[in-house]
Amino acid sequence: VMSGRIRAPQGISLGDGGRADLQLAMRRHANFVENVPYFMIMMTALELNGSGPALLHGLGLAMLFMRIMHVIGFKADALRTIPRAIAGFGTLIVSLAAAGVLVSQFVGA
């Protein structure tokens, strides 16, 4: 949505048109696409395997928090920000936790 608000008025169909704000919007979107779909697949598998609501809600809320931190921390003028570091590391930890539970369910089954 954010990149659309930049693209339409500028008439940029593909690419970033040399605009840093559009490049940043594209990168934010790409990061979401790189991380969220596989996490949602793991969440679906966890639910289908009978995981309880506490685990599912806990992982989901943790990932939501990490995504919010990512948007806050992803600034064009600062490569390293505290919220971005929290988001990157946190996304990895939450994903590994979900994967670990799935592996334990598979081994224990």
Side-chain angles (χ1 to χ4, degrees):
V1 173
M2 184 63 168
S3 62
R5 283 188 251 164
I6 298 168
R7 285 180 189 283
Q10 299 298 319
I12 301 170
S13 176
L14 296 172
D16 61 18
R19 294 184 51 119
D21 56 345
L22 182 54
Q23 186 178 26
L24 178 62
M26 291 168 56
R27 191 59 230 142
R28 283 179 176 149
H29 183 229
N31 185 277
F32 183 89
V33 170
E34 292 164 359
N35 287 288
V36 173
Y38 78 87
F39 178 75
M40 294 307 295
I41 291 168
M42 287 192 291
M43 290 288 284
T44 301
L46 286 169
E47 184 168 14
L48 291 172
N49 284 341
S51 295
L55 175 67
L56 295 170
H57 292 164
L59 289 171
L61 286 172
M63 183 58 85
L64 177 63
F65 176 75
M66 295 310 153
R67 301 319 305 159
I68 291 169
M69 293 300 287
H70 187 266
V71 171
I72 292 169
F74 210 139
K75 300 192 183 298
D77 59 345
L79 177 61
R80 295 181 186 99
T81 63
I82 298 296
R84 189 172 177 193
I86 291 169
F89 185 68
T91 296
L92 176 65
I93 295 302
V94 173
S95 298
L96 287 175
V101 172
L102 281 170
V103 168
S104 71
Q105 288 176 341
F106 177 76
V107 171

